[in-house]
Amino acid sequence: MVRKPKYQQVFDAIKEAIREGRYEPGQKLPSEAQLLDEFGTSRITVIRALRELQQRGLVQRRAGSGTYVMDAPPVGGSFLFGLLIPNLGETEIFGPICQGMAESAQRRNHALLWGDITPASEEKEIQTLDLCRQYVAKKVVGVFFAPLERTPQNDRINQAAVAVLEKAGIPIVLLDRNFLPYPNGSPYDLVAIDHRRAGFMATEHLLKLGCERIAFVAYTHSASTVDARIAGYREALFVWGLPLEPSLVWRVNGNGASELGPMVKTLKPQAIVCANDRTAGQVMHALIELGFQIPDEVRIVGIDDVQYAALLPVPLTTVHQPCREIGVAAVAAMLERIGSPEMPRRDILLDCRLVVRESCGENSADELATPHPKIEEES
């Protein structure tokens, strides 16, 4: 029989004591020094066991005070969480984010409650609030919320949804985006990439290839992440000493070639940074319909690196989001928040990276272009 690691033995012993009522809800556990003596082990082992108990939601560690049994430890040490993602079927990053969350929650014996929301805008707004109330009625211990976007009342609905959960005392972890306009923060933990950096990275790549007239395309009523990405785009232009032209930031309604055609023909951008890969795909199809050659006449870069990015008519250069890892980090953030509700709010920003494909025209950059660092290294 394989002997359990020492920290697991300490974890199991304290967990069993809590279940049997030897440690009551709200009661302070013995100090680390007392646990060292009781189990005859090292401080590192005890700390690891206490951290695992906290992640399972069984105890709460208070700085300068000690470790306490949670007031309402869940049956079997498992939690029920609510997943509130109104744009789940429309924004491709949320599929792998949810997969990462589900795998992480299952490993910890927790459960995710998913709600179905229709694609219709007005019904989506109503159903978002209805789902919040259902989660309150089902007594979920936390909600993962990706704020609604691209509906007429999305800002109002997002704030109303948060108010419902807040009134019920349910912790919230935001996924990918804030519900307040950029650059405002919120009282809740956020797990995402640094969207401003992503916009900077995409724009700077085109600048290194010699592009000077670079447009940014986004849809109206988009999430606050888009404003952060635009801020990164503008910062890259500023760092490279290029003028900031408001006319090159386009907010479109999604009417394809009829909408993009006049802007491209009038303003003549050398390249376009798109708010996300979905926008990039639609811009690419619209430009091809108008007879533009990509990347010879217009270069395109997206953000997200969704599954179909490499399958577009011209494979898309884009900024990769580590979606599955965002999901895993979100579950960890929620468990830490439940265990230590007094912690300051956090923005947990995961790293992102540029994925170079044909749409940016890196391999066909003209002689005046600034060499890409990778090319310099190889030469």
Side-chain angles (χ1 to χ4, degrees):
M1 181 177 179
V2 179
R3 185 176 178 82
K4 290 183 178 180
K6 189 63 177 179
Y7 88 90
Q8 187 69 49
Q9 296 176 40
V10 176
F11 169 85
D12 289 342
I14 298 175
K15 177 181 173 183
E16 189 63 26
I18 293 172
R19 285 181 172 178
E20 292 179 353
R22 283 180 277 152
Y23 295 127
E24 297 180 353
Q27 181 179 346
K28 184 178 179 179
L29 294 183
S31 67
E32 288 181 7
Q34 290 172 314
L35 292 173
L36 291 179
D37 291 339
E38 179 179 345
F39 293 101
T41 188
S42 67
R43 183 170 181 271
I44 292 175
T45 298
V46 168
I47 290 175
R48 184 175 179 184
L50 292 176
R51 185 183 298 118
E52 184 74 15
L53 288 163
Q54 178 175 319
Q55 289 178 342
R56 297 292 183 93
L58 294 171
V59 303
Q60 175 185 1
R61 305 188 73 186
R62 302 176 188 171
S65 179
T67 303
Y68 295 80
V69 178
M70 289 289 286
D71 288 336
V75 177
S78 63
F79 285 131
L80 177 64
F81 299 115
L83 196 57
L84 185 60
I85 306 181
N87 297 102
L88 178 60
E90 303 165 30
T91 306
E92 290 79 0
I93 63 168
F94 289 124
I97 287 176
C98 291
Q99 181 180 358
M101 293 173 62
E103 292 172 358
S104 181
Q106 289 165 4
R107 281 200 302 269
R108 294 179 168 93
N109 297 319
H110 303 310
L112 290 173
L113 190 60
W114 300 42
D116 186 27
I117 294 181
T118 180
S121 293
E122 293 184 2
E123 292 182 19
K124 184 185 298 182
E125 293 176 345
I126 295 170
Q127 290 174 359
T128 297
L129 293 179
D130 286 345
L131 195 54
C132 283
R133 299 184 185 102
Q134 290 176 37
Y135 287 158
V136 172
K138 291 181 181 296
K139 301 186 184 302
V140 300
V141 298
V143 169
F144 299 98
F145 181 31
L148 179 65
E149 66 168 342
R150 299 199 65 199
T151 71
Q153 299 293 324
N154 53 251
D155 289 339
R156 182 183 66 81
I157 296 299
N158 287 331
Q159 296 195 41
V162 164
V164 169
L165 299 172
E166 189 175 74
K167 184 177 179 181
I170 296 175
I172 300 169
V173 169
L174 298 172
L175 300 173
D176 178 64
R177 59 189 63 160
N178 197 348
F179 64 93
L180 296 174
Y182 177 82
N184 295 314
S186 78
Y188 310 109
D189 294 327
L190 167 69
V191 182
I193 61 169
D194 186 337
H195 295 287
R196 182 162 161 257
R197 179 169 175 260
F200 185 101
M201 188 183 302
T203 307
E204 186 178 52
H205 179 67
L206 291 167
L207 291 165
K208 288 177 177 178
L209 296 177
C211 300
E212 295 185 353
R213 288 190 61 76
I214 303 174
F216 192 104
V217 177
Y219 286 114
T220 55
H221 301 298
S222 293
S224 60
T225 55
V226 170
D227 291 317
R229 292 172 181 183
I230 292 173
Y233 153 83
R234 288 174 171 154
E235 184 176 353
L237 294 176
F238 175 79
V239 168
W240 279 66
L242 293 176
L244 306 178
E245 298 185 44
S247 62
L248 288 176
V249 178
W250 304 338
R251 298 275 189 169
V252 299
N253 295 312
N255 296 325
S258 62
E259 194 170 7
L260 282 173
M263 290 186 285
V264 174
K265 291 175 181 178
T266 301
L267 296 171
K268 297 180 171 56
Q270 296 167 293
I272 298 174
V273 175
C274 297
N276 51 47
D277 289 355
R278 170 172 285 215
T279 304
Q282 293 171 331
V283 166
M284 183 180 294
H285 281 288
L287 292 181
I288 291 172
E289 181 182 336
L290 290 165
F292 287 91
Q293 299 294 315
I294 301 168
D296 296 340
E297 294 179 278
V298 182
R299 307 171 194 252
I300 299 177
V301 175
I303 300 175
D304 286 340
D305 194 24
V306 298
Q307 287 186 340
Y308 59 72
L311 304 176
L312 289 168
V314 182
L316 182 66
T317 293
T318 184
V319 177
H320 175 79
Q321 283 212 58
C323 295
R324 182 186 173 280
E325 290 77 8
I326 288 174
V328 172
V331 173
M334 178 66 81
L335 294 172
E336 290 169 0
R337 174 57 57 194
I338 291 170
S340 301
E342 77 286 352
M343 281 194 307
R345 70 161 301 274
R346 302 163 296 169
D347 284 349
I348 302 170
L349 303 180
L350 278 65
D351 193 23
C352 54
R353 60 184 172 83
L354 188 72
V355 178
V356 177
R357 301 190 181 100
E358 286 88 337
S359 70
C360 68
E362 176 171 325
N363 294 330
S364 60
D366 58 39
E367 295 179 357
L368 298 177
T370 302
H372 190 273
K374 182 179 179 183
I375 297 176
E376 289 183 325
E377 292 170 3
E378 294 175 350
S379 60

